C-alpha cells in the first residue's frame, strides 16, 4: 500500500516519467502525415523535429530589399545520353578470368592472346567480346585447340563491366 509519503512520491515520479516516454515515443498523427508527404515528394525537405522548448517570440520583420536584376539565361546545351558507369568487376575478373588471361590481360603464351595490344583491341568490337564471354568459343590455332567456356550467368551490368575492364587493359 501507499502508506508512506516516500512511496507515494515514487509512484508520482514513475507516472510522470511514463507519461513523458509515451509523449516522446508515440508520434502524433500530424507527424505521420508529414513523413508520408516527405516520402511521396522526395524533393521536399523534412521539417526538423519539434523540441519541447517553448516557441521564441516572433521578431519584427526586416524591411524588404530591392530585387536584384535577373541574369540572362544561358542557351540550353544539347542533352547528351547519360552512360551508366560500369560496375567494378575486379573481383569477378580475378575469380573467373585471371586464371587464363592473367591479372593484367596479357594472357598465357599458346593459350590466350594478349588483350593489352592495340591490334587486339582494334580487332574485336565490344559486341564480339560480350558474345565470347557469354557463349564461349573453341578454335584450332597452330595445331592446338583453344577453348573458353561460356559464362551465361553474368548479369548485363557485369558483362558491361567486363567489356569496360578489357578495354582498360590497353591503357
Amino acid at each position: 500500500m501507499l502508506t508512506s509519503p516516500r512511496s507515494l512520491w515514487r509512484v508520482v515520479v514513475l507516472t510522470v516519467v511514463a507519461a513523458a516516454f509515451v509523449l516522446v515515443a508515440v508520434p502524433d498523427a500530424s507527424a505521420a502525415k508529414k513523413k508520408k508527404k516527405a516520402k511521396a515528394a522526395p524533393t521536399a525537405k523534412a521539417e526538423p523535429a519539434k523540441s519541447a522548448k517553448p516557441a521564441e517570440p516572433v521578431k519584427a520583420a526586416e524591411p524588404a530589399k530591392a530585387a536584384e536584376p535577373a541574369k540572362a539565361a544561358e542557351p540550353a546545351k544539347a542533352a547528351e545520353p547519360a552512360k551508366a558507369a560500369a560496375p567494378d568487376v575486379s573481383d569477378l575478373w580475378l575469380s573467373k578470368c585471371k586464371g587464363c588471361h592473367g591479372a593484367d590481360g596479357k594472357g598465357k603464351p599458346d593459350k590466350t592472346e594478349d588483350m593489352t595490344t592495340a591490334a587486339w583491341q582494334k580487332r574485336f568490337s565490344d559486341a564480339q567480346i560480350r558474345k565470347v564471354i557469354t557463349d564461349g568459343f573453341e578454335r584450332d590455332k597452330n595445331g592446338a585447340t583453344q577453348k573458353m567456356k561460356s559464362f551465361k550467368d553474368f548479369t548485363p551490368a557485369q558483362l558491361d563491366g567486363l567489356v569496360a575492364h578489357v578495354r582498360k587493359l590497353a591503357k
Side-chain angles (χ1 to χ4, degrees), residues 28-125:
D28 63 338
S30 63
K33 287 180 184 178
K34 288 178 186 176
K35 282 186 179 181
K36 285 183 182 178
K37 285 182 182 178
K39 286 181 182 178
T43 58
K45 293 183 180 178
E47 291 186 26
K50 294 181 180 178
S51 64
K53 295 179 186 177
E56 294 181 18
V58 179
K59 295 179 181 177
E62 293 181 22
K65 295 180 181 178
E68 294 181 19
K71 294 180 181 177
E74 294 182 21
K77 294 180 181 178
E80 296 180 16
K83 289 186 179 181
D88 181 22
V89 292
S90 16
D91 291 340
L92 187 62
W93 177 267
L94 293 175
S95 67
K96 304 286 185 180
C97 310
K98 176 186 166 190
C100 296
H101 296 288
D104 58 359
K106 292 195 179 284
K108 294 181 178 179
D110 299 328
K111 285 201 164 249
T112 57
E113 295 184 47
D114 184 354
M115 294 188 283
T116 64
T117 64
W120 190 95
Q121 293 280 333
K122 187 176 180 182
R123 191 170 71 211
F124 295 101
S125 69

